[in-house]
């Protein structure tokens, strides 16, 4: 199983950071840049859709935004001069700073609850999880978790005790795992099926998670107790992705199949052991 021969191009104008899909029959699907592909931006809006604030990314390669809990800093991964690193933006000073400097690709930054650290995935051999103290010197990253499967951090519990991350199993797809940040730090599976579950988010009190799964044939939004026990409850109706909790813990936001930002109220019943989702409403 050794690679032989010289590489050669098979497609041009492939969008940066795109996902490729290869068919057993031969064709390869990929995404090209859009006709109006300018600089990406992050926009704050109120519930009526009125723009409140925006951050213009430094270039079209910047992606994977993560906001600190106080909303004052933004982190992205950015490809520059042949390398992908983590950068942060100070919304008050309006300045960009480089956070990581390793030659491996550093992806999907995630702020600690107190904003003093960032966790990220890095391809330094395998795709593993690292943690960096922002006040530390360059190259002072701590290896948090090393396994043979690619993994990407998705959320950090408000009490700082757990990380949720996506783990790619070549035979099963994407599963949701948790990494304790105390004790022996032994990871454990949270949602592991023959389908794709991904992009999990902790509820504000850390007792529930919301995530997307394609077990119905398309991605829908589900919630379930963390760390368990308890089954899942479907929240979306006509598909959904990229779920986030309202800080009050009684509402979820997600992107519906028509690309509309959608909100759905959540009511906890049976002493907080079950949920009753309301009707999704496009914003």
């Amino acid at each position: 199983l050794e690679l032989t021969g010289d590489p050669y191009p098979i497609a041009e104008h492939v969008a940066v950071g795109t996902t490729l899909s290869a068919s057993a029959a031969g064709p390869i699907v990929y995404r090209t840049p859009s006709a109006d592909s300018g600089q990406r931006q992050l926009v704050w809006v109120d519930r009526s859709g009125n723009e409140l604030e925006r951050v213009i990314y430094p270039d079209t390669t910047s992606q994977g935004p993560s906001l600190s809990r106080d909303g004052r800093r933004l982190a992205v991964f950015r490809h520059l001069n042949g390398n992908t690193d983590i950068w942060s933006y100070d919304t008050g000073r309006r300045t960009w700073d480089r956070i990581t400097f390793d030659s491996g690709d550093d992806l999907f930054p995630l702020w600690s609850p107190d904003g003093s650290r960032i966790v990220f995935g890095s391809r330094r051999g395998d795709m593993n999880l690292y943690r960096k103290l922002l006040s530390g010197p360059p190259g002072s990253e701590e290896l948090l978790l090393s396994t043979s499967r690619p993994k990407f951090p998705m959320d950090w519990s408000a009490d700082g005790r757990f990380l949720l991350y996506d783990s790619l199993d070549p035979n099963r797809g994407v599963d949701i795992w948790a990494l304790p940040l105390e004790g022996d730090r032994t990871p454990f599976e949270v949602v592991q099926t023959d389908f794709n579950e991904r992009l999990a988010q902790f509820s504000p009190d850390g007792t529930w998670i919301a995530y997307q799964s394609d077990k119905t044939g398309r991605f829908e939004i589900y919630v379930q107790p963390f760390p368990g026990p308890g089954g899942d409850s479907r929240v979306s109706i006509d598909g959904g992705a990229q779920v986030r909790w309202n800080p009050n813990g009684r509402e979820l936001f997600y992107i519906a199949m028509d690309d509309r930002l959608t909100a759905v109220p959540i009511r906890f019943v049976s002493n907080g052991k079950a949920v009753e989702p309301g009707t999704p409403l496009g914003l």
Side-chain angles (χ1 to χ4, degrees):
L1 297 178
E2 293 183 355
L3 298 177
T4 61
D6 297 322
Y8 59 91
I10 58 175
E12 297 180 345
H13 308 298
V14 179
V16 173
T18 189
T19 297
L20 305 177
S21 181
S23 165
I28 297 176
V29 178
Y30 64 94
R31 183 170 61 85
T32 61
S34 61
D36 58 349
S37 58
Q39 288 175 290
R40 290 190 174 110
Q41 57 186 344
L42 187 68
V43 181
W44 282 256
V45 296
D46 62 20
R47 294 187 75 103
S48 298
N50 300 310
E51 181 178 321
L52 304 176
E53 188 179 353
R54 69 171 58 190
V55 173
I56 305 295
Y57 292 174
D59 50 49
T60 58
T61 69
S62 301
Q63 53 187 312
S66 174
L67 273 176
S68 60
R69 291 181 184 261
D70 61 9
R72 297 175 55 187
R73 286 176 293 177
L74 167 72
V76 299
F77 60 92
R78 178 186 180 193
H79 189 77
L80 184 65
N81 297 326
N83 199 53
T84 302
D85 289 292
I86 307 299
W87 290 68
S88 71
Y89 179 80
D90 188 310
T91 60
R93 299 177 60 234
R94 299 185 180 276
T95 54
W96 287 95
D97 291 298
R98 186 175 176 182
I99 301 300
T100 63
F101 297 84
D102 192 85
S103 59
D105 289 337
D106 299 330
L107 310 169
F108 295 103
L110 188 64
W111 293 93
S112 64
D114 64 1
S116 66
R117 293 171 171 82
I118 282 183
V119 164
F120 56 94
S122 185
R123 188 176 288 110
R124 306 177 186 185
D126 293 322
M127 179 63 73
N128 291 317
L129 300 183
Y130 288 80
R131 177 169 56 184
K132 179 178 175 61
L133 180 66
L134 295 183
S135 60
S140 61
E141 294 89 359
E142 170 195 3
L143 176 61
L144 278 180
L145 179 63
S146 176
T147 66
S148 60
R149 295 176 181 174
K151 47 206 160 294
F152 305 93
M154 289 295 118
D155 200 18
W156 199 325
S157 62
D159 60 10
R161 297 175 56 209
F162 296 97
L163 282 176
L164 288 174
Y165 64 93
D166 286 353
S167 177
L168 177 59
D169 185 324
N171 299 315
R172 302 165 61 98
V174 182
D175 297 312
I176 299 170
W177 285 66
L179 175 67
L181 296 178
E182 301 174 350
D184 61 4
R185 299 203 307 210
T186 300
F188 58 92
E189 66 271 14
V190 180
V191 188
Q192 188 176 39
T193 72
D194 291 331
F195 304 98
N196 290 293
E197 296 85 22
R198 60 202 317 176
L199 306 183
Q201 298 285 300
F202 282 111
S203 62
D205 64 3
T207 61
W208 289 78
I209 63 167
Y211 61 94
Q212 64 189 60
S213 171
D214 63 358
K215 65 181 180 180
T216 65
R218 66 180 178 187
F219 279 115
E220 300 278 2
I221 302 301
Y222 297 83
V223 296
Q224 73 176 51
F226 177 85
D232 59 37
S233 298
R234 179 171 158 182
V235 170
S236 58
I237 294 177
D238 295 316
Q242 301 180 50
V243 65
R244 293 292 186 274
W245 290 87
N246 186 317
N248 65 21
R250 299 188 297 273
E251 186 178 39
L252 289 170
F253 301 99
Y254 63 89
I255 305 298
M257 296 293 287
D258 60 1
D259 288 335
R260 292 189 66 185
L261 178 62
T262 302
V264 56
I266 297 291
R267 189 166 74 94
F268 294 95
V269 295
S270 300
N271 294 322
K273 297 180 180 179
V275 297
E276 289 183 354
T279 301
L281 176 65
L283 300 180

